[in-house]
Amino acid sequence: MSGSFEVFAQPRAVAGTGASRRLRREGRVPAIVYGGHREPEKVSVAHNDLLKHLEHESFYSHVLDLKIGDSSVKVVLKDLQRHPAKPFIQHVDFLRITQDEKLRLTVPLHFINEERCRGLKMGGQVSHAITEVEITCLPKDLPEFIGIDMSELEVGQILHLSEIQMPEGVTLAHTPDPDEPVVIIYGPRGAEEETPADDTET
């Protein structure tokens, strides 16, 4: 992991729809902190500060320093509720972490060396079927992203979920089919065989 994020929160004693609306009018986002063998704690965070953090992709898959008054706790962003029609954050869930308990989080995929991909150099076209995966790991092993080297992929090749190499200490926990395609290299536009062949027999 690189860098760090500090999130400043304030305790909130009152819950409920009315109290949450008042917080939002004041430019704050209702939030809850749970896990870590402790009782859930209701807090709020500044909406504009949160938006600035969310501009960084790594914020979603990073151990955060949550400052609540004079105390500090290590957390990860577990859930985020956005307004369905407006650019507002409605609610945030933070999960406390302990160093000896594994996390289950979604992290992004980064497609590396795409411009050097053999299949693209031969006139092929790339399709990214999925852009994130769910993993389990200890907090110390949490990656900001999973890198996929595309330089050796050929025309007609399909890279499946089960073929992604995980960093040390990280296990794939993605719930769909492990043979789900991640990257597909289609043939050149207009070629007779534009769709990669499936390995399964029919």
Side-chain angles (χ1 to χ4, degrees):
M1 295 179 296
S2 60
S4 61
F5 293 97
E6 285 188 340
V7 182
F8 294 91
Q10 296 178 0
R12 58 185 177 101
V14 182
T17 302
S20 295
R21 286 176 180 169
R22 287 193 294 272
L23 281 172
R24 296 186 186 108
R25 286 196 295 267
E26 296 169 1
R28 301 194 65 80
V29 180
I32 189 165
V33 188
Y34 66 97
H37 308 291
R38 294 166 53 187
E39 290 296 320
E41 184 175 2
K42 294 184 290 290
V43 299
S44 69
V45 297
H47 187 271
N48 288 344
D49 290 346
L50 183 61
L51 283 183
K52 290 178 182 178
H53 285 314
L54 293 172
E55 292 175 357
H56 301 275
E57 181 188 55
S58 57
F59 186 76
Y60 295 84
S61 53
H62 204 288
V63 176
L64 315 172
D65 290 316
L66 183 64
K67 310 289 186 180
I68 309 173
D70 296 329
S71 65
S72 178
V73 61
K74 298 289 187 182
V75 301
V76 291
L77 179 64
K78 192 61 177 175
D79 192 28
L80 191 70
Q81 297 175 20
R82 299 179 184 270
H83 192 282
K86 300 178 181 179
F88 297 130
I89 307 301
Q90 297 285 85
H91 193 275
V92 182
D93 289 2
F94 294 108
L95 175 66
R96 300 186 193 98
I97 67 168
T98 55
Q99 295 303 318
D100 59 347
E101 289 190 7
K102 288 189 174 183
L103 299 169
R104 185 174 180 134
L105 288 177
T106 299
V107 297
L109 298 176
H110 282 193
F111 300 94
I112 303 167
N113 294 325
E114 184 168 335
E115 71 284 354
R116 297 168 56 188
C117 175
R118 289 184 179 181
L120 293 186
K121 289 182 177 180
M122 296 298 292
Q125 301 175 66
V126 63
S127 173
H128 299 143
I130 60 175
T131 57
E132 59 185 22
V133 292
E134 192 174 24
I135 61 167
T136 59
C137 65
L138 292 172
K140 68 180 181 64
D141 296 322
L142 178 62
E144 294 179 5
F145 61 87
I146 303 295
I148 297 177
D149 188 352
M150 295 183 56
S151 58
E152 301 298 319
L153 296 182
E154 305 276 2
V155 169
Q157 188 170 351
I158 302 176
L159 182 69
H160 297 94
L161 195 60
S162 58
E163 299 175 281
I164 298 178
Q165 185 173 357
M166 294 289 111
E168 185 176 356
V170 179
T171 303
L172 186 66
H174 207 70
T175 51
D177 184 350
D179 286 328
E180 178 182 3
V182 177
V183 181
I184 305 171
I185 308 298
Y186 290 98
R189 188 181 298 275
E192 291 185 5
E193 294 185 358
E194 293 190 356
T195 303
D198 195 330
D199 293 334
T200 59
E201 296 184 359
T202 56

